[in-house]
Amino acid sequence: MGETPHRSADAGTGGTQVTQSHEWPAGASAHVAEAPVSTRSPGSGGLGGGGALPRSRKFGAERAFRGLTLAAGTTVLVIIAAIAIFLVAKAVPALRANTENFWSYEGWSPNDTEPKFGIGALAFGTVLSSALALLVAVPVALGIALYLSHYAPRRLGTALGFLIDLLAAVPSVVFGLWGRDVFSGPVRDFSIWLNQHFSWIPLFGGDGPFGASVMLGALVLAIMVLPIITSLSREVFLQTPTANEEAALALGATRWEMLRTAVLPYGRPGIIAAVMLGLGRALGETIALALTLGITFGISFNLIQNGGNTIAANIANAFGEANETGRGALIASGLVLFTITLIVNITARAIIYRRREFTESAA
């Protein structure tokens, strides 16, 4: 048997210590453990790892794609800025030659010896017709989208969705001709009925004539923006997580309660985006309104009398006969329409962003 080491009591620690002859040199174990590490080469593939990461390529696919997307985004901003600069440069001479207040004057005579024109009536007609179109189109579009996504059989929903998408491909001039030659008759009869029974409401007052009115233009616009809002809303509703819908139904909710509590809240940002996209289409519509409105200059809330005008329709009707000052005046009105559209899109993005932040914080 081996010789046991001699131990001596240590009064200071109350324990035992190995005598000096049997102790390891100080730090010997550390040197033994660290020796392999110090001799391991940086590029070795040992079991413990520690090899250097491969260097990234200086001009790799990731860097190229990042530069491409940055260039694309910058190009869009440059184009928008270039359009704004062009509009301002062409509009300034006409605005200087104008003898009336551009914002409050309701007439449009930029080709006269003393040019007189204003944007007030045109901007009012643009906003009014677009707002009425959305007021009619949004409820119908959301109802159709909910039916196609959650009520209709799959084959029927697919077929109806395809037909609705086809409406978006119809040229606006076709809608305008149909509205002027076919749809104006029923709208005129309906306007007469409204005037006979509700003439005490300023919206439906007046002595006529009726037909080529803001109501006709707004209804045609509503039909034009309907497929856009319907298609986008349907796709948003189909993206609702199935677990959310099944959880609502498992708690005893009816089909409508499930849609109201699970589908509509989830799709609200998408609905807002669809509505704003439809509003942008309505604000910029030209030929359809040029063929259906009565083309008058004035601010009036009457919806059934002949009249109404918009910025885009006025540009289409007056550009062919405009002189240099007249073209500058039309470009100035286009600058106002450009600003209105930009404000609408920025507002929509802000609403969607705030809604997304709220949803993420609630989650």
Side-chain angles (χ1 to χ4, degrees), residues 133-144 222 225-226 229-230 233 271 274-275:
L134 289 184
L135 186 64
V136 174
V138 170
V140 178
L142 294 183
I144 296 174
V225 303
L226 183 67
I229 303 175
T230 301
S233 300
I271 295 173
V275 171

Side-chain angles (χ1 to χ4, degrees), residues 94-113:
L95 293 175
R96 289 178 177 175
N98 188 17
T99 58
E100 295 289 343
N101 189 292
F102 178 71
W103 302 107
S104 60
Y105 185 65
E106 298 181 12
W108 192 265
S109 303
N111 299 321
D112 295 348
T113 306

Side-chain angles (χ1 to χ4, degrees), residues 162-304:
F162 177 74
L163 292 177
I164 292 174
D165 292 339
L166 284 180
L167 287 177
V170 178
S172 58
V173 64
V174 175
F175 281 107
L177 293 173
W178 171 79
R180 185 191 65 181
D181 299 335
V182 178
F183 197 46
S184 60
V187 172
R188 181 176 58 251
D189 297 338
F190 182 60
S191 299
I192 294 173
W193 182 84
L194 288 174
N195 182 259
Q196 291 175 351
H197 295 84
F198 302 98
S199 59
W200 49 275
I201 301 177
L203 297 176
F204 310 125
D207 300 326
F210 307 107
S213 59
V214 175
M215 178 179 289
L216 175 61
L219 291 177
V220 172
L221 273 184
I223 297 173
M224 295 179 67
V225 303
L226 183 67
I228 298 175
I229 303 175
T230 301
S231 179
L232 294 178
S233 300
R234 180 191 61 193
E235 295 300 325
V236 170
F237 294 153
L238 289 175
Q239 298 301 320
T240 305
T242 306
N244 294 5
E245 300 177 4
E246 294 178 350
L249 295 174
L251 292 174
T254 61
R255 180 69 64 88
W256 163 243
E257 290 173 342
M258 180 270 293
L259 295 175
R260 184 170 55 86
T261 58
V263 177
L264 292 178
Y266 180 83
R268 187 172 290 118
I271 295 173
I272 295 174
V275 171
M276 290 304 170
L277 187 61
L279 177 59
R281 170 70 187 276
L283 288 172
E285 182 51 45
T286 304
I287 298 300
L289 292 180
L291 293 173
T292 55
L293 293 178
I295 310 301
T296 59
F297 295 91
I299 297 177
S300 174
F301 286 95
N302 192 292
L303 302 181
I304 60 176

Side-chain angles (χ1 to χ4, degrees), residues 74-86 338 342:
T74 305
T75 302
V76 173
L77 296 179
V78 170
I79 292 175
I80 294 176
I83 293 174
I85 293 173
F86 166 80
F338 177 80
L342 197 62

Side-chain angles (χ1 to χ4, degrees), residues 50-66:
L53 295 176
R55 293 183 179 182
S56 59
R57 296 181 180 178
K58 191 173 183 180
F59 297 101
E62 180 70 22
R63 189 182 297 269
F65 180 74
R66 183 185 305 173

